[in-house]
Structures are given as structure tokens and as C-alpha cells.
């Protein structure tokens, strides 16, 4: 058997995996994209109609504890694959070094049988390890996103409250303002109501944009991790 240095790719008795396996992850991802109604996170701007209320629901529905549990499942999958790999390697070494004396038949069998299986197990173990690491990183993304969203939401609620309270104070003075301008109190109050609506709309627009920027940042962070996730090549015994 031969092992790659520094934990790299290994070959076992000259066994090789399919030369097309490198494109497997692309084919798998492409099929997933074609089969699902996937839309990337829209960039912030005037063309983005997503509101802070909608973004808050999406971000707060990301649960770090569930992502962590999935990461643990991939770790258990890796451990299982490692134990299978270790047992197969041990038995194959015994067959190679002790039990089988016919060199030509032995070499062909070890290459096409356990050798090929061990090579694919290396790929699967790497994929499982990659997915474990990816999900662990996504836990922190979800935690930070939820904290940032909650802070932004509190700022937004306070900004709306300030806009409403300012209008309430000026409403109290509507009679005095009307006396100075010659307008009736009802006319002045109607104008103040309009100003109130406009101010609240400005606040909503401002915080929609801030929430869109947060969603865009979180989307990019997730994509950076997802783009390094693992895909094991198909194995045909």
C-alpha cells in the first residue's frame, strides 16, 4: 500500500478512484439548483422590497442549536467511516502481508477490491469532515446574525417611537400653532399627521435598508462556507 505524505490523498495497492469524480460535486449542486426554487439574497437598494419585518423573521428562524446538532451528526458519520476504513485496512494488510502468497492474483485483488474501497472511503471521510467544519462555522454566523438583528430591531422600534412621540408633542401645541398661522386647529393637526406619517415612513425605509445590508452580509458569509462543503463521489463496487 502507499500513503500520501502529510495527510494528503492516499493510494492503496495502486487503486484509483474514478477520474470523473472531481466533477461530481458540480453535477450534484447543479441538479439541486435546477430542482429547487432557489433565489440568492437580494442586494440592498431601492429595487429591494424586502422589509425589516420580513428579514427579522428569516434571521430569527435560523437556530444555531439545530445547525450544531447537524454538525454532530456529520462528526458521527466521519467516525463511523473511519472505523470501517481502519478495519478494512487492517484486514487487507493481514491478507497482503501474511495470508496470501500468490503475488499476481493478490496484487490485482487488493487493487480492485479493498484498495479501491479504501480510496473512496478517504474521499467520503474528507467530505464528512468538511461538512462538519462548515456547519460548525455556520453556527457562529447564525448566532452573530441573530444578535445583530435583535439589536437593529430594538433601534428600529425606538426610532419609530421617537417619531410618534415628537408628533404627539406638536399635536398638543396645534391650537397655538394655528393661532400663529391663522389656520384652524383641525387643519394644523391634519398637517402634523401627514408629517408624522412621512417621518415614520422615512424611519421604515432607513431600517429596511439596514436590514437588507445585514441580510446581504449574512448571505455572503453562509455562501463562503457552503461553497467548501463536502461531496463524496459515487462508488460502484
Amino acid at each position: 500500500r502507499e500513503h500520501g505524505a502529510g495527510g494528503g490523498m492516499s493510494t492503496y495497492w495502486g487503486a484509483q478512484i474514478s477520474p470523473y469524480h472531481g466533477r461530481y460535486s458540480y453535477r450534484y449542486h447543479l441538479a439541486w439548483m435546477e430542482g429547487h426554487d432557489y433565489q440568492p439574497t437580494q442586494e440592498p437598494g431601492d429595487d429591494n422590497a424586502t422589509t425589516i419585518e420580513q428579514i427579522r423573521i428569516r434571521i430569527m428562524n435560523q437556530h444555531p442549536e439545530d445547525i450544531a446538532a447537524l454538525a454532530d451528526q456529520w462528526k458521527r458519520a466521519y467516525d463511523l467511516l473511519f472505523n470501517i476504513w481502519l478495519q478494512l485496512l487492517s484486514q487487507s494488510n493481514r491478507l497482503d502481508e501474511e495470508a496470501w502468497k500468490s503475488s499476481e492474483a493478490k496484487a490485482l485483488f487488493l487493487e480492485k477490491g479493498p484498495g479501491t474501497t479504501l480510496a473512496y472511503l478517504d474521499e467520503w471521510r474528507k467530505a464528512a469532515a468538511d461538512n462538519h467544519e462548515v456547519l460548525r462555522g455556520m453556527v457562529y454566523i447564525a448566532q452573530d446574525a441573530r444578535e445583530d438583528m435583535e439589536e437593529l430591531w430594538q433601534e428600529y422600534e425606538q426610532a419609530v417611537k421617537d417619531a410618534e412621540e415628537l408628533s404627539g408633542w406638536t399635536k398638543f401645541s396645534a391650537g397655538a400653532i394655528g393661532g400663529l398661522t391663522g389656520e384652524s386647529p383641525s387643519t394644523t393637526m391634519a398637517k402634523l399627521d401627514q408629517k408624522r406619517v412621512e417621518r415614520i415612513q422615512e424611519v421604515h425605509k432607513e431600517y429596511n435598508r439596514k436590514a437588507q445590508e445585514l441580510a446581504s452580509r449574512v448571505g455572503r458569509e453562509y455562501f463562503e462556507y457552503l461553497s467548501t462543503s463536502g461531496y463524496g463521489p459515487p462508488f460502484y463496487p
Side-chain angles (χ1 to χ4, degrees):
R1 65 190 183 278
E2 299 174 0
H3 298 281
M9 295 298 297
S10 302
T11 59
Y12 304 90
W13 298 280
Q16 298 291 331
I17 61 176
S18 168
Y20 299 104
H21 86 280
R23 283 181 274 176
Y24 174 66
S25 62
Y26 170 76
R27 294 200 307 272
Y28 182 92
H29 185 67
L30 183 62
W32 183 87
M33 292 284 286
E34 292 173 347
H36 291 74
D37 185 18
Y38 171 76
Q39 293 293 332
T41 304
Q42 189 175 355
E43 290 298 320
D46 295 335
D47 295 334
N48 189 339
T50 314
T51 66
I52 185 173
E53 290 83 2
Q54 293 171 322
I55 293 172
R56 180 172 183 258
I57 291 173
R58 295 173 185 175
I59 288 182
M60 300 311 290
N61 276 341
Q62 299 169 6
H63 296 286
E65 68 279 5
D66 292 339
I67 301 174
L70 185 56
D72 291 341
Q73 291 182 32
W74 277 107
K75 178 60 169 62
R76 288 193 289 272
Y78 174 87
D79 292 342
L80 175 62
L81 290 169
F82 177 79
N83 288 332
I84 294 172
W85 172 86
L86 189 62
Q87 292 177 37
L88 180 58
L89 179 62
S90 176
Q91 293 298 322
S92 299
N93 283 336
R94 286 186 57 191
L95 183 64
D96 181 21
E97 298 167 2
E98 302 174 16
W100 200 336
K101 304 303 181 183
S102 177
S103 59
E104 291 186 6
K106 178 179 69 173
L108 182 61
F109 173 81
L110 289 173
E111 175 189 353
K112 300 300 183 181
T116 299
T117 304
L118 288 166
Y120 275 90
L121 280 170
D122 278 349
E123 293 284 327
W124 296 348
R125 287 192 298 132
K126 181 180 183 304
D130 288 344
N131 286 335
H132 172 254
E133 292 300 320
V134 163
L135 289 163
R136 279 296 172 192
M138 291 171 67
V139 168
Y140 298 109
I141 296 175
Q143 289 174 339
D144 291 343
R146 285 166 60 95
E147 291 174 2
D148 292 344
M149 185 70 250
E150 194 58 35
E151 181 179 346
L152 183 63
W153 181 256
Q154 291 176 6
E155 290 179 9
Y156 167 66
E157 288 187 318
Q158 185 61 50
V160 172
K161 183 178 179 181
D162 291 344
E164 291 175 340
E165 288 180 351
L166 177 61
S167 178
W169 180 85
T170 53
K171 273 187 175 182
F172 179 77
S173 304
I177 296 172
L180 293 173
T181 61
E183 295 177 339
S184 66
S186 61
T187 300
T188 304
M189 290 183 66
K191 289 183 177 181
L192 291 175
D193 278 336
Q194 181 61 32
K195 290 292 185 183
R196 170 181 175 273
V197 171
E198 291 174 357
R199 175 56 186 156
I200 292 174
Q201 288 176 341
E202 289 174 2
V203 169
H204 196 235
K205 182 178 180 180
E206 175 187 355
Y207 279 87
N208 282 348
R209 180 63 175 259
K210 290 183 178 180
Q212 292 168 9
E213 291 171 352
L214 173 60
S216 179
R217 187 203 79 196
V218 173
R220 288 194 301 271
E221 291 175 352
Y222 273 131
F223 185 80
E224 288 176 4
Y225 274 95
L226 290 172
S227 62
T228 61
S229 57
Y231 297 93
F235 173 57
Y236 304 102

